[in-house]
């Protein structure tokens, strides 16, 4: 045999975040004192009431197959959450439960894209958007948002990127890796452009519960009947309830598309893990105090570390409004410490300063690095001290 791999997987780029995190973990296990600021998951354990609900469901024998699109009761919990938080009304047929928001996005692109269809992806972007689009035969069209625009694209930029092949636009708010939030006016203008061009809107809202200061989450689906009709809300319990490993996400949107996604899941995954679904049911229906406790703690960490990171020579940092990432522009630091690019700089931070960060190239932002502050404040502050010492010790005027 001359060809072992299909064309669709041959061009895949491995997840930068998972690769760096794995390398840092390997170094730690070998006894090296590495501080990891790469992983995008809360450092809290899953709240106790959710653990108890999962355990009880297993003891009660709720360990069998469920419908491919998820437990009806969990769909109802999602429907109630969307009504409570966004005043949006959906039916069970418009909701699907999947194996994490990542799986939901993958299945959505498989359901709506044909070969050559284009999807507009604002940059910086979450690493998996372009790869998932390509796996579905689509073409990611990158629209760059700059630090000057607070890493948000404008409606006009989206309009200029539209071609006859454009099928959808991705909006991620609060964003990964930027932590930036689109306000109601910005979203309204984007919704108008999508209506003019008759495009789907893929609204990734996984960091919805992690917003700081006076900012408030607005879903683009809230803005009008037309916006709701063309929007797919993607969300889940991973970030909000510290349930990354449970792998439960959901989609709410067009009934026909959600039905097709459910059919696809029936031939690929059968159903989301039953125990995880009962855990998610408690996450949405049970007490929410832990969610707010985590949000407040992340905000407190941000307030402490933002000025410390900003003080590092050659680091230019825009204060995020949500999520738990900082995305400093570091090209000046890279140049003045003698490195050719940010990837090499990040590699040196890992091997010499013993701090794991994610180079921005994986997010379509090659002059930046991403740092997660979803770890203890003591470790974060120590990591920033190490980075600053590394930069100052290697600075070449």
């Amino acid at each position: 045999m001359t060809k072992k791999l299909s064309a669709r997987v041959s061009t895949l780029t491995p997840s930068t975040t998972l690769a760096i995190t794995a390398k840092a973990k390997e170094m730690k296990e070998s006894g090296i004192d590495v501080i990891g600021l790469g992983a995008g998951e809360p450092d809290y354990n899953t709240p106790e009431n959710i653990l108890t609900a999962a355990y009880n469901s297993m003891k009660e024998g709720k360990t069998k197959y469920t419908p491919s699109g998820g437990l009806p009761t969990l769909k109802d919990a999602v429907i109630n959450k969307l009504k409570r938080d966004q005043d949006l009304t959906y039916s069970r047929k418009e909701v699907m439960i999947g194996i994490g928001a990542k799986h939901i996005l993958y299945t959505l692109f498989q359901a709506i894209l044909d070969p050559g269809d284009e999807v507009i992806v604002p940059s910086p972007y979450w690493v998996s958007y372009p790869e998932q689009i390509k796996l579905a035969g689509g073409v990611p069209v990158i629209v760059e948002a700059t630090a000057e625009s607070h890493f948000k694209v404008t409606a006009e930029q989206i309009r200029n990127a539209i071609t006859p092949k454009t099928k959808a636009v991705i909006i991620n708010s609060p964003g990964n890796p930027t932590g930036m939030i689109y306000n109601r006016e910005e979203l309204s203008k984007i919704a108008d452009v999508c209506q003019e061009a008759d495009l789907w809107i893929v609204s990734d809202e996984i960091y919805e519960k992690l917003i700081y200061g006076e900012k408030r989450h607005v879903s683009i689906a809230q803005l009008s009947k037309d916006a709701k009709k063309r929007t797919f809300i993607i969300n889940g319990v991973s970030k909000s309830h510290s349930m990354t490993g449970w792998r439960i996400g959901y989609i709410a949107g067009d009934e026909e598309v959600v039905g097709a996604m459910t059919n696809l899941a029936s031939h690929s995954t059968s159903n989301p893990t039953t125990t995880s679904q009962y855990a998610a049911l408690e996450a949405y229906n049970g007490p929410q105090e832990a969610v707010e406790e985590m949000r407040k703690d992340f905000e407190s960490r941000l307030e402490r570390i933002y000025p410390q990171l900003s003080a590092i020579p050659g680091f230019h940092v825009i204060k995020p409004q949500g999520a738990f990432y900082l995305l400093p522009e570091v090209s000046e630091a890279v140049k003045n410490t003698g490195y050719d690019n940010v990837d090499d700089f990040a590699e040196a931070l890992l091997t010499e300063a013993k701090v794991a960060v994610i180079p921005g190239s994986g997010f379509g932002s090659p002059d930046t690095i991403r740092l997660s502050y979803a770890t203890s404040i003591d470790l974060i502050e120590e990591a920033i001290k190490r980075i600053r010492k590394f930069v100052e010790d290697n600075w070449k005027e």
Side-chain angles (χ1 to χ4, degrees):
M1 296 178 66
T2 58
K3 188 176 182 181
K4 295 183 179 180
L5 297 177
S6 68
R8 64 181 166 274
V9 300
S10 298
T11 60
L12 273 180
T13 303
S15 169
T16 310
T17 53
L18 295 181
I20 295 289
T21 301
K23 183 169 183 178
K25 183 179 180 182
E26 184 180 316
M27 291 173 68
K28 288 188 73 172
E29 289 175 348
S30 67
I32 300 172
D33 179 23
V34 172
I35 300 176
L37 301 182
E41 59 181 351
D43 53 316
Y44 284 81
N45 193 14
T46 304
E48 192 66 31
N49 63 303
I50 298 172
L51 299 177
T52 300
Y55 175 79
N56 288 341
S57 74
M58 291 186 284
K59 293 290 285 184
E60 293 164 6
K62 297 174 180 176
T63 58
K64 310 302 181 184
Y65 292 128
T66 74
S68 293
L71 289 166
T73 50
L74 182 51
K75 287 188 177 186
D76 288 344
V78 168
I79 290 166
N80 292 337
K81 176 252 180 275
L82 289 166
K83 183 64 177 178
R84 179 176 65 246
D85 291 352
Q86 277 83 42
D87 196 26
L88 290 167
T89 302
Y90 292 93
S91 68
R92 284 183 178 176
K93 291 183 178 180
E94 295 173 300
V95 173
M96 173 188 164
I97 311 299
I99 306 172
K102 180 181 282 190
H103 168 244
I104 286 288
L105 283 161
Y106 174 85
T107 309
L108 173 62
F109 292 131
Q110 292 291 326
I112 66 172
L113 297 181
D114 286 316
D117 284 346
E118 296 175 353
V119 179
I120 294 175
V121 182
S123 168
Y125 48 72
W126 178 54
V127 294
S128 292
Y129 294 147
E131 304 302 328
Q132 290 188 349
I133 292 164
K134 289 187 286 186
L135 280 170
V139 179
V141 176
I142 309 303
V143 176
E144 184 179 359
T146 63
E148 289 71 30
S149 66
H150 282 206
F151 295 121
K152 293 185 285 186
V153 297
T154 65
E156 194 60 28
Q157 283 180 286
I158 291 174
R159 180 181 280 111
N160 292 338
I162 293 172
T163 75
K165 294 183 178 181
T166 306
K167 194 73 170 285
V169 175
I170 295 177
I171 297 296
N172 179 206
S173 178
N176 173 9
T178 67
M180 293 303 161
I181 298 170
Y182 286 85
N183 62 38
R184 182 177 292 271
E185 181 181 1
E186 291 164 339
L187 290 173
S188 182
K189 291 177 180 178
I190 291 171
D192 288 344
V193 170
C194 292
Q195 181 176 2
E196 293 166 11
D198 193 22
L199 304 179
W200 292 118
I201 302 170
V202 180
S203 184
D204 183 348
E205 304 179 16
I206 194 70
Y207 293 96
E208 167 207 358
K209 294 297 182 181
L210 297 174
I211 294 178
Y212 313 124
E214 300 301 316
K215 299 293 182 180
R216 294 293 178 267
H217 175 69
V218 178
S219 172
I220 195 168
Q222 294 174 257
L223 300 183
S224 68
K225 288 183 178 179
D226 182 83
K228 178 176 181 288
K229 180 181 68 175
R230 64 182 66 257
T231 296
F232 297 104
I233 293 178
I234 315 292
N235 209 331
V237 293
S238 291
K239 316 299 183 180
S240 58
H241 295 79
S242 195
M243 294 176 66
T244 52
W246 296 80
R247 308 312 303 136
I248 294 293
Y250 70 80
I251 186 170
D254 180 84
E255 179 181 327
E256 183 179 2
V257 173
V258 170
M261 292 172 62
T262 304
N263 289 338
L264 178 56
S266 73
H267 290 292
S268 57
T269 59
S270 291
N271 62 268
T273 302
T274 303
T275 304
S276 293
Q277 290 190 71
Y278 281 104
L281 184 62
E282 173 63 18
Y284 283 131
N285 288 345
Q288 302 298 306
E289 286 81 4
V291 175
E292 177 61 9
E293 179 186 336
M294 284 189 284
R295 188 202 67 79
K296 286 182 177 178
D297 190 29
F298 286 132
E299 184 170 20
S300 174
R301 296 179 197 181
L302 173 62
E303 292 302 320
R304 281 181 61 172
I305 65 174
Y306 172 72
Q308 297 174 34
L309 192 68
S310 300
I312 297 176
F315 274 48
H316 304 283
V317 194
I318 297 175
K319 191 175 183 180
Q321 301 163 331
F324 38 64
Y325 307 110
L326 288 151
L327 192 74
E329 199 278 333
V330 296
S331 57
E332 183 185 355
V334 170
K335 178 182 177 182
N336 284 286
T337 52
Y339 291 92
D340 293 330
N341 53 59
V342 172
D343 287 44
D344 292 345
F345 179 76
E347 178 73 17
L349 286 179
L350 180 57
T351 57
E352 297 183 37
K354 305 300 186 291
V355 178
V357 301
I358 310 297
S361 54
F363 305 104
S365 184
D367 290 333
T368 65
I369 57 174
R370 192 193 77 174
L371 302 86
S372 168
Y373 51 93
T375 190
S376 76
I377 188 64
D378 291 340
L379 284 177
I380 303 167
E381 292 187 322
E382 173 61 24
I384 293 174
K385 287 178 184 176
R386 293 184 186 184
I387 295 171
R388 181 167 184 165
K389 184 177 188 305
F390 173 83
V391 171
E392 290 177 344
D393 287 352
N394 291 278
W395 194 271
K396 301 175 180 65
E397 292 294 348

